[in-house]
Amino acid sequence: CKAPEEIRDVSYDDRYDSTVLDLYLPDNDTAARPAVMLVHGGAWFSGDKNHFERAARRLARSGYVAASINYRLVPEGRFPRAAQDVGCALAFLQGHGTEYGIDPRRVAIMGYSAGGHLVSLLGVAWQVDELEPDCAAGRPARPAAVIPGAGPHDLRDTEHGVVSDFLGGTPQEEPERYALASPIVHVGRDEPPFLLINGGADWLVDVDQSRAMRAQLRAAGNQADLLSLTGGGHLVSHGSDPGEVQFAVALDTPEAWLAVADFLDRTVGAP
């Protein structure tokens, strides 16, 4: 299999310099392929689409179109702008299916940490008016599947400076904004299937956040699974050798990749 074709810095919203994505196109001639949109972490104020470069190449070698996106960061990307950007990027990919060989009905979204929060929110609130993008691509259609890695799903009682910076105040000052930004608040019927992935020893985003989101999704009749990686932290996980630890997010572990491959095959279908 040849290396994927890479198209860098495609603008999905021409109004801003930061609203660009990198496309990784597989070496096949299929006209309507499944795709995965990747959303980086960085506590909403840092990070870059290059963080998912290896993952995007791996997905493209497997036959998926992969798109790793940038979005506006705090302070410019203060909520709801970052969430609107992620929705705009999804709408752009869905609207350019013919150009990039994407089946718009088979676009999964995957993110880590802050990116995990943003894809989780998009997965259950893509139709919420307060989060609708005002970009040319417009409102996205429902994503086909959602893979949040170590993302916070309930921000309502979170006392943390990074969250306050993102949401523009404390939970006491902005309770409605904290609720609007919490994916767990928006869960209803007929949500996309979710695969939640979390390190069992993640001290930054406790696995209980993912457990609660799974429970809420299932209670509403949705498909939701959780992979809890024993001993895995937020940025440090077990390596391939016994006793080895490595700097790697939970989504980069072999266990996670096996689960993701199986989940994508069951939800968006094989490439």
Side-chain angles (χ1 to χ4, degrees):
C1 182
K2 295 180 182 178
E5 178 187 357
E6 300 180 11
I7 306 174
R8 300 283 181 169
D9 295 324
V10 176
S11 175
Y12 63 85
D13 185 350
D14 292 338
R15 297 174 300 172
Y16 311 109
D17 293 337
S18 55
T19 46
V20 295
L21 56 83
D22 293 339
L23 278 164
Y24 299 76
L25 305 179
D27 179 32
N28 60 41
D29 296 324
T30 306
R33 300 168 287 199
V36 183
M37 187 178 85
L38 303 160
V39 184
H40 70 79
W44 303 287
F45 74 88
S46 66
D48 183 83
K49 55 186 168 58
N50 291 334
H51 290 184
F52 267 125
E53 185 176 65
R54 286 191 305 167
R57 287 173 177 161
R58 183 180 297 186
L59 287 164
R61 287 197 302 269
S62 298
Y64 298 93
V65 175
S68 185
I69 76 165
N70 278 351
Y71 50 92
R72 285 175 289 173
L73 302 171
V74 173
E76 184 186 8
R78 184 168 287 127
F79 184 81
R81 294 170 191 154
Q84 291 171 320
D85 288 349
V86 175
C88 178
L90 177 60
F92 176 86
L93 292 172
Q94 291 169 333
H96 287 74
T98 302
E99 185 176 351
Y100 299 120
I102 296 170
D103 183 346
R105 300 165 299 176
R106 295 197 292 159
V107 182
I109 54 177
M110 180 165 74
Y112 192 76
S113 193
H117 162 260
L118 291 169
V119 300
S120 181
L121 184 61
L122 180 58
V124 293
W126 57 270
Q127 78 284 28
V128 171
D129 290 341
E130 293 90 337
L131 302 177
E132 181 178 356
D134 60 354
C135 63
R139 189 198 294 265
R142 178 182 183 266
V146 186
I147 308 172
H153 305 282
D154 190 348
L155 299 173
R156 287 173 292 181
D157 296 320
T158 304
E159 298 277 1
H160 196 289
V162 168
V163 179
S164 296
D165 289 344
F166 178 54
L167 295 180
T170 66
Q172 295 76 29
E173 293 167 340
E174 299 286 350
E176 293 182 358
R177 184 173 286 254
Y178 273 71
L180 181 63
S182 295
I184 202 167
V185 171
H186 299 281
V187 172
R189 297 177 58 84
D190 300 320
E191 305 292 9
F194 269 66
L195 172 63
L196 302 115
I197 300 176
N198 224 110
D202 191 330
W203 293 349
L204 288 178
V205 181
D206 194 277
V207 68
D208 285 346
Q209 285 269 337
S210 292
R211 290 185 181 127
M213 185 66 175
R214 177 186 61 178
Q216 190 82 348
L217 285 161
R218 287 183 171 180
N222 302 295
Q223 176 189 332
D225 296 309
L226 168 62
L227 174 62
S228 178
L229 298 162
T230 303
H234 198 72
L235 296 173
V236 178
S237 295
H238 291 296
S240 56
D241 296 329
E244 178 192 28
V245 294
Q246 59 186 2
F247 286 97
V249 301
L251 288 177
D252 278 339
T253 61
E255 300 95 327
W257 272 105
L258 287 171
V260 167
D262 176 70
F263 178 71
L264 290 174
D265 187 61
R266 289 185 287 110
T267 54
V268 301

